[in-house]
């Protein structure tokens, strides 16, 4: 990575007061103005994170884009590239960008540098070394879902996304590939949530026992038990998602089941 060099003045204009002790700090790597939507989505999080952005463009070229963001949201912007190799990149991450003290790191695809996901893997290797094997929560946006296994052992979560879902998902920095596929399946109608009666033989059991016993629907397709309905305030049925495994079923009026293809 390179430091700000001739763009120091522009970078200083982007710097704001240091984040308070209770304000989380996130770092977004490979940021470009095309990802303004992501930064705006992060700005809506509570508590609002202070952002350090690292990107390929000089600071004066991105200053106008960042000026449209909430004041104080972007703490620093650094221009840089990985042309110096993994070790130099790791030193930059540790000594300049202070990645070991970040609360979350988002690695976006850097296009135009050969194999995009392989390049992101190199960056994650540098993060791992900079943080001495104990990185903060790291989310990597990959272009090819088949590449997710290549990030195993680097202490990261991976996410595959198309188009404008980027901002909505990465804003939370907590969605992995499996959860993302699940969301797409629900949105696309390939999965649905149904209400099933509680089997009489499970009425005296627990939610854990129901999860073990209820495995397929009437057509033999795999299903997942995700919740139940039970009396809430005013004795009205309330939906409980992911209740405790030991939660009794004796007062449950129905079960919530994630089941197969929509008919």
């Amino acid at each position: 990575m390179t430091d700000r060099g001739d763009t120091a003045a522009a970078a200083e204009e982007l710097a704001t007061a240091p984040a308070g002790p209770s304000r989380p700090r996130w770092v977004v790597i490979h940021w470009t103005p095309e990802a303004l939507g992501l930064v705006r989505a992060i700005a809506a999080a509570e508590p609002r994170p202070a952002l350090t952005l690292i990107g390929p463009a000089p600071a004066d070229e991105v200053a106008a884009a960042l000026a449209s963001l909430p004041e104080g949201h972007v703490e620093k912007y650094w221009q840089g590239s990985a042309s110096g190799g993994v070790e130099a990149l790791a030193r930059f991450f540790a000594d300049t960008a202070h990645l070991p003290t970040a609360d979350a790191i988002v690695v976006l695809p850097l296009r135009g540098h050969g194999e995009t996901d392989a390049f992101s893997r190199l960056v994650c290797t540098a993060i791992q070394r900079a943080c001495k094997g104990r990185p903060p929560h790291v989310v990597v946006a990959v272009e090819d879902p088949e590449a997710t296994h290549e990030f195993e052992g680097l202490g990261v979560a991976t996410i595959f996304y198309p188009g404008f879902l980027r901002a909505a998902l990465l804003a939370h920095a907590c969605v992995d590939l499996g959860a993302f596929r699940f969301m797409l399946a629900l949105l696309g109608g390939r999965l649905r949530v149904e209400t099933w009666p509680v089997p009489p033989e499970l009425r005296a059991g627990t939610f854990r026992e129901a999860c073990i016993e209820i495995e397929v629907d009437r057509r033999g397709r795999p299903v997942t038990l995700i919740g139940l309905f039970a009396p809430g305030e005013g004795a009205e049925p309330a939906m409980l998602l992911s209740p405790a495994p030991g939660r009794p079923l004796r007062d449950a009026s129905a079960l919530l089941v994630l089941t197969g293809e929509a008919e």
Side-chain angles (χ1 to χ4, degrees):
M1 282 282 179
T2 61
D3 60 21
R4 292 171 291 180
D6 294 337
T7 64
E12 286 301 328
E13 292 179 3
L14 299 176
T16 66
S22 62
R23 189 179 176 194
R25 186 172 72 91
W26 292 11
V27 179
V28 179
I29 299 174
H30 297 158
W31 185 85
T32 65
E34 293 178 355
L36 260 180
L38 167 64
V39 177
R40 288 196 181 101
I42 294 174
E46 290 294 341
R48 190 178 72 181
L51 275 181
T52 295
L53 304 181
I54 300 173
D60 53 358
E61 292 184 11
V62 301
L66 293 179
S68 66
L69 297 170
E71 183 178 356
H73 183 43
V74 175
E75 187 180 28
K76 294 286 184 182
Y77 174 85
W78 295 96
Q79 179 194 5
S81 71
S83 58
V86 172
E87 294 302 331
L89 187 59
R91 288 193 297 272
F92 172 86
F93 284 161
D95 301 335
T96 304
H98 307 297
L99 262 58
T101 62
D103 295 284
I105 300 171
V106 179
V107 181
L108 298 177
L110 182 63
R111 296 175 179 85
H113 288 74
E115 188 66 32
T116 301
D117 292 334
F119 195 82
S120 294
R121 188 173 67 250
L122 180 151
V123 169
C124 290
T125 300
I127 294 172
Q128 182 85 339
R129 295 185 184 180
C131 299
K132 301 187 185 303
R134 302 183 65 181
H137 188 78
V138 181
V139 174
V140 182
V142 299
E143 294 196 317
D144 180 2
E146 298 298 326
T148 57
H149 71 278
E150 299 176 6
F151 293 86
E152 292 180 3
L154 294 177
V156 304
T158 51
I159 176 172
F160 167 70
Y161 65 90
F164 297 105
L165 282 178
R166 173 198 304 171
L169 294 174
L170 291 187
H172 301 284
C174 65
V175 182
D176 61 16
L177 177 62
F180 179 65
R181 284 175 169 166
F182 163 71
M183 292 171 66
L184 284 185
L186 280 178
L187 292 171
R190 297 193 303 277
L191 295 174
R192 65 179 182 213
V193 177
E194 296 182 342
T195 302
W196 288 12
V198 180
E201 64 272 18
L202 292 177
R203 178 62 66 182
T206 63
F207 185 74
R208 178 191 294 107
E209 292 173 277
C211 289
I212 294 173
E213 292 295 325
I214 299 175
E215 297 182 327
V216 296
D217 64 12
R218 63 182 181 275
R219 295 175 60 183
R221 297 171 300 190
V223 299
T224 301
L225 187 59
I226 61 174
L228 52 82
F229 280 92
E233 294 183 5
E236 290 292 326
M239 181 187 299
L240 299 178
L241 295 176
S242 299
R247 207 262 187 214
L249 298 179
R250 55 179 173 268
D251 65 343
S253 58
L255 301 174
L256 284 169
V257 180
L258 178 68
T259 187
E261 305 283 20
E263 299 182 46

